[in-house]
């Protein structure tokens, strides 16, 4: 039990849960957005499949990184550290591995903060869409959802008729089938992204502590050897006196 890096283990569980929820919700949210753009605005995004593939790669990479950092935590915890990092080369290798993982984790932390900012903007936009759909005039199909003032977000040459959602089936496809579910997906993705950022902060703290333990292990080993020599000299002197 004393050889288990509990702090790193908790961070790994947080990271894996966050990555799984993030990839699942973002994949579902982007799929609903593509369907909504195709059915309502007749806009097709050919690069969205590449983005969905990126989500899968992100999940696999973050999972692999979490398990590698957990492995380093096991090597630098408890009695395992005293067996693994006895030699000078092993201690240098352990310190280098901790420093490399700290650099990677720091960079990933910045990237995930940027992703969280992007998700906050996307969630805010879909919340506005949801409030537009919840107005009584739109629900009773008395007025259209007008996006003509956001013409710069549409491809060049898009007619103004496509920037308005007026027909009953288009309103249903936009509001009920896409916006309501996609907003929940993006909210969950934002929460999972925040969980991943917290796990990366935990990783930084654990790696810094492991680096310090490995660096100071040589001093502890020298003190232990001096203590053993003193004990041997004391026992030898006691036998001679006896």
């Amino acid at each position: 039990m004393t050889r288990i890096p509990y702090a790193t283990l908790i961070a790994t569980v947080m990271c894996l849960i966050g990555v799984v929820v993030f990839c699942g919700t973002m994949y579902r949210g982007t799929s609903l957005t593509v369907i909504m753009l195709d059915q309502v605005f007749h806009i097709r995004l050919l690069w969205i499949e590449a983005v969905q593939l990126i989500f899968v790669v992100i999940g696999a990479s973050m999972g692999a990184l979490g398990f590698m950092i957990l492995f380093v935590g096991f090597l630098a915890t408890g009695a395992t550290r005293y067996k693994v990092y006895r030699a000078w080369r092993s201690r240098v290798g352990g310190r280098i591995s901790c420093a490399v993982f700290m650099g990677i984790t720091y960079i990933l932390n910045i990237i995930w903060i940027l992703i969280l900012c992007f998700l906050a903007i996307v969630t805010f936009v879909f919340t506005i869409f949801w409030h537009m759909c919840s107005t009584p005039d739109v629900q009773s199909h008395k007025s259209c959802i007008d996006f003509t003032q956001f013409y710069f977000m549409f491809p060049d040459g898009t007619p103004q008729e496509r920037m308005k959602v007026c027909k009953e089936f288009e309103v249903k496809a936009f509001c009920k089938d896409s916006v309501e579910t996609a907003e929940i997906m993006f909210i969950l993705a934002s929460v999972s992204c925040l969980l991943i950022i917290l796990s990366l902060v935990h990783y930084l703290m654990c790696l810094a502590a492991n680096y310090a333990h490995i660096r100071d292990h040589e001093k502890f080993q020298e003190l232990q050897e001096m203590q053993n020599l003193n004990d041997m000299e004391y026992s030898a002197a006691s036998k001679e006196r006896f």
Side-chain angles (χ1 to χ4, degrees):
M1 297 296 290
T2 58
R3 298 187 181 190
I4 299 176
Y6 292 101
T8 309
L9 183 62
I10 293 172
T12 303
V13 173
M14 291 171 57
C15 182
L16 293 179
I17 293 175
V19 168
V20 170
V21 175
F22 175 82
C23 293
T25 53
M26 286 298 294
Y27 189 90
R28 178 61 176 166
T30 52
S31 299
L32 291 173
T33 304
V34 170
I35 294 173
M36 180 261 292
L37 292 175
D38 188 16
Q39 294 182 355
V40 179
F41 301 103
H42 307 287
I43 298 174
R44 294 183 179 180
L45 300 178
L46 301 177
W47 48 267
I48 201 66
E49 294 181 357
V51 174
Q52 292 176 341
L53 180 62
I54 290 174
F55 293 149
V56 178
V57 174
I58 288 174
S61 301
M62 291 298 297
L65 178 67
F67 282 115
M68 285 189 288
I69 296 177
L70 181 62
F71 179 72
V72 173
F74 272 107
L75 293 179
T77 302
T80 308
R81 182 173 67 249
Y82 295 98
K83 293 183 178 180
V84 174
Y85 297 113
R86 284 184 176 180
W88 177 80
R89 291 183 178 180
S90 60
R91 287 195 296 270
V92 173
R95 291 170 63 182
I96 292 175
S97 62
C98 288
V100 169
F101 281 121
M102 277 193 290
I104 295 173
T105 306
Y106 189 83
I107 295 172
L108 287 175
N109 199 10
I110 296 175
I111 294 174
W112 280 103
I113 290 174
L114 295 176
I115 295 175
L116 179 61
C117 295
F118 173 76
L119 282 175
I121 296 172
V122 173
T123 305
F124 177 73
V125 171
F126 272 82
T127 303
I128 293 175
F129 291 166
W130 181 77
H131 283 291
M132 293 171 65
C133 292
S134 61
T135 56
D137 291 339
V138 173
Q139 291 182 352
S140 60
H141 307 290
K142 293 181 180 179
S143 63
C144 301
I145 302 176
D146 192 0
F147 292 101
T148 54
Q149 57 184 341
F150 302 106
Y151 64 92
F152 55 88
M153 299 178 62
F154 292 87
D156 295 335
T158 303
Q160 293 187 356
E161 290 77 12
R162 290 188 181 180
M163 301 180 189
K164 296 180 180 180
V165 183
C166 299
K167 299 179 181 179
E168 184 177 353
F169 73 92
E170 290 182 348
V171 173
K172 181 180 179 297
F174 180 78
C175 297
K176 191 68 178 178
D177 299 337
S178 299
V179 171
E180 291 185 6
T181 307
E183 183 189 11
I184 298 173
M185 293 295 105
F186 288 128
I187 290 174
L188 292 176
S190 301
V191 175
S192 63
C193 187
L194 181 61
L195 186 64
I196 294 172
I197 292 172
L198 291 177
S199 68
L200 291 174
V201 173
H202 285 201
Y203 276 140
L204 284 174
M205 293 188 293
C206 296
L207 288 170
N210 292 333
Y211 182 89
H213 286 317
I214 296 172
R215 182 190 60 187
D216 297 335
H217 178 69
E218 184 177 1
K219 298 179 182 179
F220 294 148
Q221 189 174 3
E222 291 177 355
L223 290 174
Q224 185 66 34
E225 292 176 355
M226 292 175 62
Q227 183 66 32
N228 293 334
L229 290 174
N230 291 332
D231 293 340
M232 291 176 60
E233 292 177 356
Y234 179 76
S235 60
S238 299
K239 290 181 180 178
E240 290 177 357
R241 197 181 319 165
F242 178 76

